[in-house]
Amino acid sequence: MPTSGRARIKDLLSIERLDDAPNPVSVNGWVKTVRSSGGVSFVQINDGSSLADLQIVVDANCPDYALVDALTTGCSVTAFGVLQESLGRGQRYEIVASSIALLGGADPEEYPLQKKRHTLEFLRELAHLRPRTNTFGAVARVRNAMAFGIHQFFQQRGFLYIQTPIITASDAEGAGAMFRATTLNLDDLPTKGGRVDNDADFFGRPAFLTVSGQLEAEIFAQAMSDVYTFGPTFRAENSNTSRHLAEFWMVEPEVAFCDLDGLAQLAEDFLRSIFAYVLETCPEDMAFFNRFYDKELIKTLEDIANSDFERMTYTEAVRVLEGSGESFEFPVSWGADLQSEHERYLTERKIGRPVIVTDYPSSIKAFYMRLNEDGQTVRALDVLVPRIGEIIGGSQREERLDVLQSRMAEAGLDDAPYWWYLDLRRYGTTPHAGFGLGFERTVQFATGMQNIRDIIAFPRTPRNAEF
RNA sequence: UCCCCGGUAGCUCAGCGGUAGAGCGGGCGGCUGUUAACCGCUAGGUCGUAGGUUCGAAUCCUACCCGGGGAGCCA
């Protein structure tokens, strides 16, 4: 079946004037449902190009009419016919088939997807078939649009897209437990002096899957000024929540000659831009999510796209929380990190829109964040959004060699493996800043989906790596 | 990893000490344009796994496995 003559359902359904239709047309897709009434059958198919299905009318005038009995939910078909105004209500156009053929059957006694709603938990066990459902098709299209929107945002601003390594020997301190990448035979480990002989491993040293491309992105920021990464990252944390994955995609811009205020502005512009982009480019899918998953979704995203983010320092946030009169499960005190309930109070109840919290205590943040003049806080930034909580974490980086070295010593880190990172401060150091955005969390927020496992096609979570 | 809830027909669930039910889906048959079509009939389950209590366990107890919600960690 040549694809050159294949019309996409999305394109057919968006035709303005029927005179412009490339009639007769050839369409392909997977059957959603078949309805038969007397001498007419209606075969509703979808090809993934849009949320909407295309109705194919097959009646006695079609030589393949007898074949309709073999068409069941899930099978693939190819059809040829004339696109015309629908005689029935419910769709603008339909195709009156002059031929229709079964490409691949789907035994209705075995095919697990029925023409009714399934729970997301059930569909999660069918990751190979769930893209055919309305919800997962919509997620796939929105995810695609947001990925493109992210690249477009940075490209339009002159940022360079760089690819940082997935296998790494460095640890972006504190970002989380790492997966080991090794070719050693785990059933028969080579030893030297009673310990595992890492010299015998592939790289001659321990290697891991990256938890962040930040340190390498800083290298390129110190040459190209404005860069970003967009790639997979891995965390071996035993996190079992609706917001965590062991493998997820992260967007990490890194900007030279930029301070925390500049970074906060970039983060805000960025989020507002990509939410506006998805509303503009995926209206049908977004209406679907708004209808079935979150009635306030579109309004929420429009509000974000159209209004400034609230900004406050950590110290101010603590003051707000202490004066809130709320009884939190975890006490609020300066020096302790904000708990989920605190973040949600701030962004959901106190402010009602995204909040950028800055200048956290140095004791609870990573060594590379720039120390403030007070010696107590660092130029860190978290962007909190309703329902998800932290969606962006970032900071102005410590560009002063001596301060960075003393911070590393406080954190108990050995300088040696970071020699190249320290070199960036030795030679032409600049004030610079960057943040990390969890891509799945962002799509989760934009779609109103409750569980991050429904945002990535093949979720990796503790004890789950099927597919 | 911790706390709470749940695992019964393909799916969603009811039954909660006396030996299994509904709706949807499937099959068969109707219906001259349907919209998760509709109407009638019908098949289908060692009640997550392994122990235990009991005359008797889907139902009570224990352990484990799996799923969900929340927490921690973070993106």
Side-chain angles (χ1 to χ4, degrees), chain A residues 120 242-243 293 387-388 444 447-452 454:
Chain A
L120 298 173
S242 56
R243 308 180 310 282
Y293 290 96
R387 199 164 52 79
I388 305 285
Q444 189 182 357
T447 56
M449 295 293 287
Q450 299 277 323
N451 197 310
I452 201 164
D454 300 326

Side-chain angles (χ1 to χ4, degrees), chain A residues 142 146 268 271-280 282-283 285-287 289-290 294-309 352-354 385-388 391 441-449:
Chain A
V142 167
M146 293 187 76
E268 175 173 339
L271 287 175
R272 290 172 63 175
S273 164
I274 60 176
F275 291 141
Y277 182 81
V278 74
L279 286 170
E280 183 192 331
C282 304
D285 292 317
M286 293 308 292
F289 288 119
N290 194 76
D294 179 359
K295 302 281 188 213
E296 300 289 309
L297 183 66
I298 289 176
K299 182 183 182 303
T300 300
L301 295 177
E302 283 174 343
D303 286 350
I304 291 173
N306 296 321
S307 57
D308 293 341
F309 289 10
R353 57 177 201 279
V385 297
R387 199 164 52 79
I388 305 285
I391 196 169
R441 283 190 186 175
T442 309
V443 178
Q444 189 182 357
F445 182 74
T447 56
M449 295 293 287

